[in-house]
């Protein structure tokens, strides 16, 4: 039997709110146990230059970013199946310039 993956995360938004911080928000994916957030200075998310974080919330703050750089963010939902994480597709990337 094939496992049904969580739906793709929609409406990802990224904002530079305070010093060197970006706040991400997205729409809830039904049945998701949590989300994996990925961010990079490169549009293509190369593995060496990419960081990953996991959260169970729909709003996520990333701190300690570099000023005057543009970051790209994407999110995917996951659910647990027999103790393993099953991931959905990555969202469309959101980009934000860290101004302050």
């Amino acid at each position: 039997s094939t496992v049904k993956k969580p739906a793709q995360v929609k409406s990802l938004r990224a904002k530079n709110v305070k010093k060197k911080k970006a706040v991400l928000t997205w729409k809830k994916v039904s049945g998701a146990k949590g989300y994996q957030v990925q961010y990079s200075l490169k549009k293509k998310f190369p593995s060496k230059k990419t960081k990953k974080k996991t959260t169970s919330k729909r709003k996520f703050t990333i701190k300690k970013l570099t000023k005057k750089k543009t970051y790209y963010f994407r999110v995917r939902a996951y659910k647990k199946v027999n103790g393993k994480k099953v991931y959905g597709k990555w969202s469309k990337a959101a980009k934000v310039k860290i101004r302050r």
Side-chain angles (χ1 to χ4, degrees), residues 18-72:
K18 285 195 191 96
K19 284 190 181 134
K20 301 181 190 169
K21 280 185 194 175
V23 173
L24 307 179
T25 53
W26 57 87
K27 285 198 173 145
K28 185 176 164 55
V29 173
S30 68
K33 181 100 178 85
Y35 302 91
Q36 189 177 46
V37 177
Q38 198 179 48
Y39 63 102
S40 177
L41 288 164
K42 302 266 185 251
K43 207 174 187 170
K44 298 265 186 226
F45 295 91
S47 55
K48 281 192 174 55
K49 297 225 187 291
T50 301
K51 293 198 162 114
K52 281 183 185 159
K53 308 263 189 215
T54 306
T55 178
S56 58
K57 303 202 168 36
R58 280 184 30 251
K59 186 175 179 179
F60 191 69
T61 304
I62 296 167
K63 299 171 182 141
K64 296 182 186 160
L65 299 173
T66 311
K67 267 194 224 176
K68 295 190 171 117
K69 296 258 188 219
T70 299
Y71 284 85
Y72 296 89

Side-chain angles (χ1 to χ4, degrees), residues 5-18:
K5 291 181 174 177
Q8 185 179 21
V9 172
K10 300 271 194 250
S11 311
L12 174 63
R13 294 187 182 191
K15 270 190 196 155
N16 177 207
V17 280
K18 285 195 191 96

